[in-house]
Amino acid sequence: MELNLADKKVLVTGASSGIGLAIAKAFIAEGCHVASNARSESALLDSISGQANCCGVPGDVTDPKLAKLVVDEAIEKLGGLDIVVCNVGSGASVPPGEESYAEWQRVFALNFFSTTNIVEAAKSALLESKGVIVCVSSICGSEVVPGAPVTYTAAKTALNAYIKGISRPLGKDGIRIVGVAPGNIMFSGSGWERRLNQDPAATQAMLDRDVSLSKFGTAEEVGSMVVWCSSDRCSFATGSIWVLDGGQVRS
């Protein structure tokens, strides 16, 4: 299927590894010009080494001032901005019932404010291009997943509500915003890779019990969905949350 994304200018946050790196590579494969962002400059430079049509824009986008600098640098390097992918996030937190004020602040900064900061900073450029925003959420934002950190669940739920709510004012300006909510995704260095190595039988039992397809998804599958959501093939969708979980969500 032709997605007509060649020469689009794309910013991907949280792109030095895992899902973010797979998303950046998926856009590069479509002929896009990509600005990859991550907090660690050294990890970012390693991730884009040898990648054509890709540049690095390091910076911590949980800080609104630094997020604006990241967006400004991406626009300068790319010559504009057509697509923004907000991928910064982490499900690592304290067990349910052990939350603290500091942990709420940390997890919301990573999983919610990292997105609102980037959207606010990129809005004027996307207004000019009638662009697209794709936010990487989680199935934890759709329903309670047993054992998942409450801080993470609350932050991703807030992110999903933001996507739905902000889609109306952004839509009036010709900007689309959608979310992609992955389930259990396997990639090198992930928490699931660690759990699989520690207890393969228990991990497979979880998949058999909770996931209809009894397997993990891949970062590349998330990248493919993000790219499709960014294309004209998905031009009537905004405010939607697209689930990619192998059939885990029940609601």
Side-chain angles (χ1 to χ4, degrees):
M1 180 182 290
E2 179 55 59
L3 298 180
N4 299 316
L5 287 171
D7 294 325
K8 293 289 187 182
K9 304 169 180 68
V10 186
L11 169 62
V12 183
T13 66
S16 62
S17 63
I19 290 173
L21 180 57
I23 291 169
K25 288 181 175 179
F27 277 110
I28 291 169
E30 292 294 328
C32 299
H33 303 280
V34 176
S36 292
N37 157 263
R39 284 185 295 188
S40 169
E41 184 172 9
S42 59
L44 182 61
L45 293 177
D46 286 344
S47 70
I48 66 173
S49 178
Q51 294 287 343
N53 296 326
C54 187
C55 62
V57 283
D60 183 356
V61 300
T62 65
D63 182 321
K65 293 180 180 178
L66 295 180
K68 187 177 186 312
L69 291 176
V70 165
V71 170
D72 289 347
E73 184 177 349
I75 291 170
E76 182 180 355
K77 288 184 173 181
L78 298 176
L81 202 55
D82 299 301
I83 299 164
V84 171
V85 181
C86 300
N87 174 66
V88 169
S90 171
S93 186
V94 297
E98 297 182 15
E99 300 80 19
S100 65
Y101 177 79
E103 185 64 1
W104 282 110
Q105 294 290 315
R106 185 188 72 83
V107 174
F108 262 76
L110 277 173
N111 293 287
F112 182 68
F113 294 120
S114 61
T115 291
T116 59
N117 291 341
I118 286 292
V119 171
E120 199 59 36
K123 196 158 51 176
S124 60
L126 294 173
L127 175 61
E128 185 175 333
S129 64
K130 304 303 179 188
V132 182
I133 303 161
V134 182
C135 307
V136 178
S137 183
S138 166
I139 59 170
C140 290
S142 303
E143 66 181 37
V144 173
V145 176
V150 177
T151 51
Y152 181 67
T153 297
K156 290 303 190 184
T157 301
L159 176 59
N160 288 358
Y162 170 74
I163 293 166
K164 293 175 184 295
I166 203 69
S167 67
R168 288 182 177 270
L170 289 178
K172 300 300 182 184
D173 291 329
I175 301 170
R176 292 197 300 114
I177 181 169
V178 297
V180 171
N184 304 314
I185 305 299
M186 178 64 72
F187 55 86
S188 178
S190 68
W192 281 119
E193 182 184 62
R194 183 179 67 254
R195 292 181 196 123
L196 183 63
N197 290 335
Q198 290 172 346
D199 195 338
T203 303
Q204 186 58 51
M206 180 280 298
L207 293 172
D208 292 339
R209 180 186 68 246
D210 295 337
V211 182
S212 298
L213 296 181
S214 297
K215 65 177 184 177
F216 289 105
T218 68
E220 289 73 24
E221 287 173 311
V222 180
S224 294
M225 179 168 274
V226 169
V227 166
W228 182 78
C229 286
S230 303
S231 76
D232 289 342
R233 298 290 184 179
C234 194
S235 63
F236 194 49
T238 195
S240 305
I241 314 296
W242 302 80
V243 174
L244 183 69
D245 70 345
Q248 183 171 356
V249 169
R250 298 293 186 262
S251 60

